[in-house]
Amino acid sequence: MPEYKAPLRDIKFVLEELLDCDSHYKKLGYEDASLEMIDAIMTEGAKFTEQVVAPINQIGDQQGCKWEDGVVTTPPGYKEAYQQYVEGGWPTLAGPVEYGGQGLPASLSVTFSEMVLGASHAFAMYPGLSHGASQTIEAHGTQEQKNTYLPKLVEGSWTGTMCLTEPHCGTDLGMLRTKAELQDDGSYSLSGTKIFISSGDHDLSENIIHIVIARIPGSPEGTKGISLFVVPKYKVNADGSVGERNGVNCGSIEHKMGLHGNGTCVLNFDGAQGYLLGEVNRGLFGMFTFMNAARVGVANEGVAAAEAAFQGSYAYAKDRLQVRSLSGVKNPDGPADPIIVHPDVRRMLLTQKSIAEGGRALLTYLSQLVDITLVGKDENIKQDAETKLALLTPIAKAFLSELGFEATSHGVQVFGGHGFIQEWGMEQLMRDTKICCLYEGTTGIQALDLLGRKVLGTQGAVFKPFSADVTDFCKENMDIPEMAEFIQPIMAYSKEWAEITDVVGKKAATNPDEVGGASVDYLMYSGYVTLAYFWAKSAKVALEKLAGDTTEQRFYQAKIKTAQFYFQRLLPRAQGHKACLVNGVDTMMSLDSEDFII
Ligand SMILES: Cc1cc2nc3c(=O)[nH]c(=O)nc-3n(C[C@H](O)[C@H](O)[C@H](O)COP(=O)(O)OP(=O)(O)OC[C@H]3O[C@@H](n4cnc5c(N)ncnc54)[C@H](O)[C@@H]3O)c2cc1C
């Protein structure tokens, strides 16, 4: 099992050198988020994740959650690790001060979460969902609901879930059947079955707060008739203590491909007492608070998986001796050369490294936009951040999930046959990461959201603020000779991005299926171009540092070399996606549904 080391140097690069978190936080009024404070949090966070969370990752996979008589037990060590997580105050980082939180920026919590995810994805999902539940209650709850649930969720003694999926409806939530009937006391009685609920039941916390979508009888069919409810596993007494059991039970847990340490539960609601969150029939609007936070969270899972796979692969590639280098012996004292000398192994390692570090830059930028939307005061700047988030959230969620999964597949490949064997941890990473492409809206659904709703739905207006930043960056750096290899391709790709949008838009005007036919290639194209921008920015910072007085030549040289690899070996993949999408949808639709197998 490879040892997980929190990537503190690169985190510092992204936070402080690339995205100037110091001035970002100061502008938003976060006086406490000084560089010293951030360093201290990250250093302690690294220790916690390396020493407490990483050691339970493999046993969590091997032993998994157990279900017996409706009770879910987490794997050995999970309870103790979660206890330490709470005692360390980790859940409170970005929680609101009035409910016991430390009031630090959301983006810092996202960075800390990357470390928890890198150490153990399955464990990280327990606190991860609690953040989403708190944010949803904070945004849409009544004062009484906030007082009842937030202090416990923020401190971590209660955890949260997100209950959308039902057996017959995953993507199409408009078909949901869970029913919520108004009671005389103003509460609702919920009945129905939810499936695939992550962290739906477990033994880590004294209560579990479910955020549930359901339909009130008489409400419209489809998504317009969905309302949002808060349903505690144990009812909450007037004094805030945990009361009697509510009518929600775990019917079973799934036996699944990965994430064995996280219970994926069937939850049966049998007249469970729930409380309306927000307005009647505005449930999906409320749930979007949760879903947007969760999408950034899933993008982070992709980054964390790429980092963990890279670390494991790199250590192995330096150690494993197989075959002499094509260009002459590199390890004369050994019987063969380490596999890191072989170009193809380097291709895989650099692919992982460029996904992990480029993805971290994109994700951290995204989470700084979230900071602005949460606490920014200037309405124009907030609007600008919201538009950029609308464009970049589906790109980050789907692209970083797909590439994170690719990085784990390279992890298996670098290890050769040993990658397929349990003890090395690579196959677990790959199994654990596949889910990122599925939950929180599959890659196909994120792509439809990007191309159909965000880009074509706004006639391209959603591009404007982000494109303006890219154009400004290119203009500022176009005369710097060392930046030419980055700036010229970005300028060409930005122009082409607009052109292919136009091509798809025109085709879609006569055949709506063209959107669905183009969308995933369009999203991947957009992802490669977006990541190129963050790699170019990283190269710029590294060049400036190298021109100054730095003792870290190797770190900055490695940044530039990885940026060059990205531009020459990964960015060209965008051309393949372009070629596919401009070819249109006809070949996908001409075969009759009955004739796929004859
Ligand atoms: C381990 C795990 C944890 C989960 N955790 C949670 C949770 O905590 N809470 C929760 O509510 N749910 C959770 N889910 C459910 C998850 O979000 C859904 O599985 C996911 O949204 C997809 O829904 P589905 O499985 O019903 O697939 P379907 O909706 O049936 O989709 C099947 C396929 O059809 C494609 N498809 C569907 N519609 C379209 C379309 N219009 N255009 C193009 N392609 C389309 C999809 O992309 C997919 O490839 C979890 C699932 C798993 C496996």
Side-chain angles (χ1 to χ4, degrees):
M1 188 72 188
E3 193 187 356
Y4 175 73
K5 280 269 163 223
L8 283 178
R9 180 63 188 94
D10 199 58
I11 286 175
K12 193 176 168 72
F13 174 81
V14 171
L15 280 176
E16 296 178 17
E17 300 169 53
L18 181 68
L19 297 174
D20 190 7
C21 65
D22 199 30
S23 65
H24 167 76
Y25 293 143
K26 285 209 173 85
K27 271 188 221 151
L28 293 175
Y30 284 114
E31 296 305 329
D32 287 348
S34 64
L35 292 183
E36 295 71 37
M37 164 76 116
I38 294 169
D39 259 5
I41 293 173
M42 293 308 153
T43 307
E44 281 311 303
K47 270 193 222 152
F48 175 76
T49 52
E50 290 165 8
Q51 294 169 12
V52 178
V53 183
I56 57 171
N57 190 38
Q58 194 172 36
I59 193 162
D61 180 58
Q62 288 167 355
Q63 303 217 4
C65 289
K66 304 267 185 296
W67 178 93
E68 207 178 333
D69 294 334
V71 177
V72 179
T73 312
T74 52
Y78 268 53
K79 228 172 149 171
E80 294 75 11
Y82 187 74
Q83 192 59 36
Q84 288 189 53
Y85 185 86
V86 173
E87 282 165 10
W90 295 111
T92 65
L93 271 187
V97 174
E98 61 270 45
Y99 300 107
Q102 299 180 49
L104 288 165
S107 54
L108 275 188
S109 172
V110 170
T111 301
F112 169 66
S113 296
E114 189 215 305
M115 300 194 240
V116 191
L117 284 161
S120 174
H121 182 165
F123 175 83
M125 285 175 69
Y126 293 101
L129 284 153
S130 304
H131 291 314
S134 311
Q135 282 171 12
T136 309
I137 295 173
E138 199 188 345
H140 305 287
T142 61
Q143 192 55 51
E144 191 189 344
Q145 287 168 339
K146 291 180 198 176
N147 294 342
T148 306
Y149 302 108
L150 289 183
K152 299 286 190 181
L153 281 170
V154 168
E155 108 189 327
S157 55
W158 297 357
T159 57
T161 74
M162 171 164 90
C163 299
L164 295 98
T165 308
E166 299 183 8
H168 56 283
C169 81
T171 300
D172 191 352
L173 295 172
M175 295 201 291
L176 78 83
R177 292 186 192 140
T178 298
K179 201 167 56 175
E181 291 172 299
L182 183 62
Q183 305 297 294
D184 292 343
D185 63 358
S187 70
Y188 286 79
S189 170
L190 276 84
S191 303
T193 301
K194 296 285 176 185
I195 63 164
F196 294 167
I197 305 308
S198 299
S199 320
D201 196 46
H202 55 79
D203 53 1
L204 303 184
S205 61
E206 53 185 33
N207 205 356
I208 302 176
I209 308 305
H210 305 291
I211 307 292
V212 187
I213 52 171
R215 199 183 304 281
I216 298 170
S219 289
E221 293 293 306
T223 53
K224 292 201 167 77
I226 294 177
S227 300
L228 190 60
F229 300 87
V230 54
V231 183
K233 172 177 170 180
Y234 291 100
K235 294 180 182 174
V236 183
N237 296 324
D239 64 358
S241 59
V242 170
E244 66 183 42
R245 189 69 201 248
N246 202 357
V248 49
N249 290 290
C250 177
S252 60
I253 55 174
E254 304 296 344
H255 300 281
K256 54 193 196 290
M257 177 175 177
L259 288 187
H260 297 157
N262 191 275
T264 303
C265 302
V266 172
L267 288 185
N268 297 317
F269 293 81
D270 296 311
Q273 188 172 40
Y275 305 91
L276 184 70
L277 259 183
E279 292 171 39
V280 169
N281 296 338
R282 295 269 291 154
L284 272 196
F285 169 74
M287 204 46 141
F288 264 107
T289 305
F290 207 145
M291 281 150 60
N292 283 331
R295 283 170 187 172
V296 175
V298 176
N300 209 9
E301 291 170 5
V303 173
E307 174 67 40
F310 168 57
Q311 289 185 15
S313 308
Y314 179 52
Y316 191 78
K318 285 200 296 182
D319 199 46
R320 175 77 173 165
L321 304 182
Q322 289 295 299
V323 188
R324 292 296 181 191
S325 157
L326 290 172
S327 54
V329 173
K330 301 288 185 299
N331 176 33
D333 298 335
D337 287 334
I339 59 171
I340 196 165
V341 304
H342 304 308
D344 189 55
V345 173
R346 288 172 158 260
R347 173 186 64 81
M348 293 188 275
L349 294 173
L350 281 160
T351 300
Q352 294 171 318
K353 182 170 163 68
S354 42
I355 295 168
E357 295 179 9
R360 178 172 302 119
L362 164 60
L363 206 269
T364 309
Y365 171 75
L366 209 67
S367 63
Q368 288 194 348
L369 295 177
V370 173
D371 289 340
I372 298 171
T373 64
L374 290 175
V375 299
K377 299 276 181 296
D378 182 318
E379 280 311 315
N380 289 331
I381 296 176
K382 267 177 99 160
Q383 185 52 56
D384 179 89
E386 264 156 26
T387 311
K388 286 176 186 162
L389 267 178
L391 175 75
L392 296 177
T393 302
I395 295 176
K397 192 282 175 189
F399 180 71
L400 294 178
S401 293
E402 293 288 340
L403 263 64
F405 180 62
E406 180 192 328
T408 64
S409 169
H410 292 314
V412 171
Q413 199 73 17
V414 168
F415 276 71
H418 299 273
F420 202 70
I421 304 299
Q422 242 184 18
E423 83 176 273
W424 292 98
M426 288 293 127
E427 58 84 46
Q428 179 190 343
L429 259 178
M430 195 174 170
R431 286 185 288 103
D432 283 356
T433 306
K434 179 60 198 169
I435 189 62
C436 302
C437 311
L438 301 169
Y439 60 14
E440 272 321 308
T442 59
T443 299
I445 294 307
Q446 297 298 331
L448 275 183
D449 179 49
L450 172 69
L451 180 58
R453 206 163 75 87
K454 304 285 176 53
V455 172
L456 301 179
T458 63
Q459 277 93 42
V462 75
F463 272 123
K464 277 188 188 142
F466 183 63
S467 299
D469 286 357
V470 176
T471 307
D472 289 350
F473 174 74
C474 289
K475 279 188 189 150
E476 279 162 25
N477 295 290
M478 65 198 311
D479 296 329
I480 302 174
E482 297 89 337
M483 285 298 289
E485 63 185 305
F486 308 118
I487 298 301
Q488 282 168 10
I490 293 186
M491 281 167 47
Y493 272 100
S494 299
K495 189 164 162 282
E496 189 180 69
W497 197 359
E499 287 163 4
I500 62 172
T501 305
D502 202 41
V503 170
V504 181
K506 287 202 173 102
K507 286 186 182 214
T510 51
N511 179 5
D513 269 340
E514 289 287 354
V515 178
S519 51
V520 169
D521 283 307
Y522 184 86
L523 183 140
M524 295 304 286
Y525 179 99
S526 308
Y528 283 114
V529 178
T530 304
L531 214 63
Y533 168 65
F534 285 96
W535 266 116
K537 282 174 80 79
S538 299
K540 170 76 192 302
V541 172
L543 282 166
E544 283 170 356
K545 295 281 176 181
L546 283 170
D549 183 18
T550 176
T551 53
E552 292 184 290
Q553 294 274 338
R554 286 168 56 212
F555 176 83
Y556 295 114
Q557 289 288 4
K559 270 283 165 215
I560 294 168
K561 288 177 199 262
T562 312
Q564 289 169 332
F565 172 85
Y566 181 84
F567 271 76
Q568 291 185 24
R569 299 301 301 243
L570 293 191
L571 182 59
R573 293 179 183 184
Q575 288 308 315
H577 289 291
K578 175 195 153 192
C580 293
L581 74 92
V582 297
N583 279 339
V585 77
D586 291 349
T587 53
M588 295 177 197
M589 304 312 281
S590 63
L591 185 59
D592 192 283
S593 296
E594 297 307 313
D595 293 347
F596 276 60
I597 298 179
I598 297 171

